């Protein structure tokens, strides 16, 4: 029994010592100061040095001084610490990106894919195009599969464009057969043409109708995203894009969507209404019903658009202000009070309501305004 107990203790110890050379933290710091990347990695893995105040300061210095000719695999391993701790650095994303660029010299495919994933996550399409073109020049079939799978994880408009582009390259090189479904054919037309010739419109309308009738949430949401990002159309296509963005996103909201789809669909409807249906108060109000599902900035934008149409209706949606975390509540309360007080520079709307909201704001400005009202 004792032998078994000893073995259980020894095994993890042996595993630990095989990964850790036994240097003290002070020794590792000295080596890291000399540019030893493995010591930087060990400091992070063994001592969690990157999570300390001193460590954050040191890693910033070390990251700036890493030799561009250093081993790319070592640099790539070090990026893990910076990715996990990037929010602790004032310029953490920049450090992470620069290290990935260093790891990518000469071309390191894992570093390239990691960097492309980073650019895709933060919608840096102009950087994606240049890096991807270099990657594709020497890409094997497996490299293209890896790239396709990377974009497959990105559930947004650019992800669909990127996947479609990589798939077309694989078809061109003979790595896969092209069997276009109705959905794929429609996506090809919508994604690859900024302006559409009239002969494509019957096809587009028929395919849109078929997909909308399918009640397939994933397909409907995917087409809704693509349409929602084609707002720069003109003429007949402008009307087609706007009307179908609305139809597809509204249909998605009826098909038991996930929270992510529900939030995004509401966002796209709000964006559509505030940009292209500014004078349609009914549409504006329909979006405000789901205001809690919008992003904070978009909710603010929608309310402001509604204020431009009808300041009274805007004031009635007071409850939504409490959800606007990007604007201080005090500031929001003053805004509401001034709507009731001044009515966009017209006659007072509701003096008693204005008093209530000035009291809630409880700032010097609010107190001064309240004093004016009390004199009336």
């Amino acid at each position: 029994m004792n032998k078994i107990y000893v073995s259980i203790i020894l095994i993890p110890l042996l595993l630990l010592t095989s990964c850790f050379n036994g240097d003290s933290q002070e020794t590792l710091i000295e080596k890291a100061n000399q540019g030893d990347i493995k010591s930087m990695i060990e400091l992070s893995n063994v001592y969690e040095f990157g999570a300390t105040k001193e460590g954050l300061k040191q890693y910033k210095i070390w990251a700036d001084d890493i030799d561009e000719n250093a081993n790319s695999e070592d640099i790539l391993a070090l990026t893990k610490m910076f990715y996990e701790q990037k929010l602790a650095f004032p310029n953490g994303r920049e450090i992470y990106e620069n290290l990935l660029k260093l790891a990518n010299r000469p071309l390191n495919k894992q570093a390239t894919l990691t960097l492309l994933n980073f650019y895709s996550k933060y919608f840096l399409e102009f950087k994606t195009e240049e890096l991807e073109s270099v990657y594709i020049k020497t890409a094997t079939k497996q490299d293209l599969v890896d790239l396709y799978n990377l974009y497959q994880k990105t559930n947004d408009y650019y992800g669909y464009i990127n996947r479609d582009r990589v798939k077309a390259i694989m078809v061109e090189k003979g790595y896969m057969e092209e069997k276009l479904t109705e959905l794929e054919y429609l996506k090809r037309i919508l994604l690859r043409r900024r302006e559409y010739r009239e002969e494509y419109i019957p096809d587009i309308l028929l395919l849109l109708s078929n997909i909308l009738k399918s009640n397939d949430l994933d397909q409907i949401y995917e087409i809704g995203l693509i349409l929602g990002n084609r707002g720069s159309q003109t003429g007949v296509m402008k009307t087609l894009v706007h009307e179908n963005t609305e139809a597809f996103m509204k249909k998605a909201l009826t098909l038991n969507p996930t929270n992510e789809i529900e939030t995004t669909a509401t966002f796209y409807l709000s964006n559509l209404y505030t940009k292209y249906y500014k004078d349609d108060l009914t549409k504006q109000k329909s979006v405000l019903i789901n205001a809690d599902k919008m992003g904070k900035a978009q909710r603010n934008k929608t309310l402001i658009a509604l204020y431009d149409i009808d300041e009274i209706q805007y004031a009635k949606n007071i409850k939504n202000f409490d959800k606007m975390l990007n604007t201080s509540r005090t500031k929001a309360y003053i805004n509401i009070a001034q709507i009731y007080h001044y009515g966009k520079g017209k006659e007072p709307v509701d003096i008693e309501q204005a008093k209530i909201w000035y009291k809630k704001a409880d700032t010097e400005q609010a107190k001064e305004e309240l004093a004016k009202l009390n004199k009336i």
Side-chain angles (χ1 to χ4, degrees):
M1 186 71 176
N2 289 338
K3 289 181 179 178
I4 295 174
Y5 179 76
V6 170
S7 299
I8 292 171
I9 296 294
L10 284 175
I11 289 171
L13 284 175
L14 288 170
L15 289 172
L16 180 61
T17 53
S18 67
C19 301
F20 177 44
N21 63 23
D23 284 342
S24 67
Q25 179 171 311
E26 290 73 19
T27 301
L28 289 172
I29 290 173
E30 288 179 12
K31 290 182 177 180
N33 284 333
Q34 301 302 314
D36 186 343
I37 300 176
K38 285 185 170 61
S39 293
M40 300 175 199
I41 297 168
E42 203 159 311
L43 277 166
S44 175
N45 293 342
V46 178
Y47 293 106
E48 297 184 353
F49 190 54
T52 68
K53 185 176 180 180
E54 180 189 358
L56 291 173
K57 180 180 178 181
Q58 287 299 123
Y59 274 111
K60 171 68 173 68
I61 296 170
W62 294 335
D64 288 341
D65 292 340
I66 288 176
D67 189 331
E68 66 178 32
N69 296 316
N71 182 280
S72 61
E73 293 299 330
D74 287 344
I75 299 174
L76 190 57
L78 181 62
T79 62
K80 180 182 177 185
M81 192 284 301
F82 278 96
Y83 183 77
E84 292 170 349
Q85 299 288 334
K86 63 182 180 296
L87 295 180
F89 295 89
N91 56 341
R93 287 181 184 172
E94 183 183 342
I95 295 173
Y96 179 65
E97 180 185 0
N98 289 339
L99 284 174
L100 285 174
K101 287 179 178 178
L102 279 178
N104 203 34
R105 298 178 189 173
L107 183 64
N108 178 305
K109 290 179 178 178
Q110 185 55 48
T112 302
L113 288 171
T114 307
L115 194 51
L116 282 169
N117 185 56
F118 172 76
Y119 289 155
S120 180
K121 182 177 180 181
Y122 292 104
F123 305 105
L124 301 170
E125 287 298 304
F126 62 99
K127 292 186 177 182
T128 299
E129 290 177 13
E130 182 179 353
L131 185 61
E132 185 190 282
S133 66
V134 175
Y135 179 88
I136 287 174
K137 284 178 183 177
T138 59
T140 63
K141 179 179 180 179
Q142 187 57 50
D143 292 336
L144 290 173
V145 169
D146 291 341
L147 184 60
Y148 181 87
N149 289 337
L150 183 151
Y151 291 141
Q152 182 74 18
K153 297 175 185 176
T154 309
N155 190 26
D156 59 30
Y157 173 70
Y158 292 112
Y160 296 132
I161 291 179
N162 293 338
R163 288 203 299 276
D164 193 60
R165 182 175 61 251
V166 175
K167 183 177 180 180
I169 293 169
M170 294 174 75
V171 169
E172 184 182 334
K173 290 180 176 290
Y175 295 154
M176 66 163 57
E177 285 186 49
E178 182 169 44
K179 296 179 180 178
L180 290 179
T181 62
E182 280 193 343
L183 175 67
E184 289 168 330
Y185 176 57
L186 177 59
K187 283 165 57 182
R188 176 162 296 185
I189 297 174
L190 293 177
L191 289 171
R192 293 188 177 182
R193 291 177 174 83
R194 296 304 293 178
E195 297 291 341
Y196 303 101
R197 294 194 298 274
E198 286 188 8
E199 69 246 38
Y200 286 104
I201 291 179
D203 276 353
I204 292 173
L205 290 172
L206 176 62
L207 294 169
L208 287 173
S209 175
N210 289 345
I211 291 170
L212 199 59
K213 290 176 184 175
S214 72
N215 289 329
D216 185 316
L217 174 60
D218 290 337
Q219 290 190 15
I220 289 169
Y221 175 61
E222 184 173 356
I223 293 300
L225 280 177
I226 293 170
L227 288 167
N229 283 277
R230 304 316 298 266
S232 62
Q233 303 302 318
T234 59
V236 177
M237 277 307 299
K238 181 176 182 179
T239 302
L240 185 152
V241 166
H242 294 167
E243 288 181 353
N244 282 283
T245 298
E246 180 180 16
F248 274 70
M249 287 309 189
K250 286 175 75 172
K251 185 65 175 282
L253 290 172
T254 70
L255 297 173
N256 193 27
T258 62
N259 287 337
E260 180 186 358
I261 291 177
E262 191 172 25
T263 299
T264 306
T266 304
F267 171 88
Y268 272 74
L269 283 172
S270 171
N271 192 51
L272 180 70
Y273 294 160
T274 55
K275 279 186 177 180
Y276 303 110
Y277 295 99
K278 292 182 179 180
D279 298 326
D280 193 329
L281 184 58
T282 302
K283 290 185 184 295
Q284 297 286 354
K285 287 158 67 175
S286 72
V287 176
L288 281 171
I289 293 170
N290 294 310
D292 60 316
K293 298 182 178 67
M294 294 183 209
K296 289 174 286 189
Q298 190 63 23
R299 182 165 56 243
N300 191 24
K301 182 178 177 182
T302 303
L303 284 165
I304 289 170
L306 188 55
Y307 175 43
D308 288 338
I309 299 165
D310 185 335
E311 67 271 17
I312 307 302
Q313 183 62 40
Y314 174 71
K316 288 178 181 176
N317 283 277
I318 288 164
K319 63 180 181 179
N320 294 303
F321 273 110
D322 278 348
K323 297 167 185 171
M324 277 188 215
L325 302 181
N326 61 323
T327 304
S328 70
R329 290 187 182 184
T330 297
K331 192 173 182 180
Y333 292 158
I334 290 176
N335 286 342
I336 297 168
Q338 290 185 335
I339 291 168
Y340 283 120
H341 186 175
Y342 295 108
K344 287 179 69 178
K346 303 173 188 176
E347 293 298 315
V349 177
D350 189 329
I351 296 300
E352 293 308 311
Q353 280 293 327
K355 288 179 180 179
I356 290 170
W357 287 97
Y358 279 135
K359 286 178 183 177
K360 287 190 72 169
D362 194 30
T363 65
E364 289 305 314
Q365 177 192 353
K367 289 174 183 176
E368 289 176 9
E369 296 286 2
L370 186 58
K372 292 178 187 177
L373 285 178
N374 288 331
K375 291 178 181 178
I376 296 176

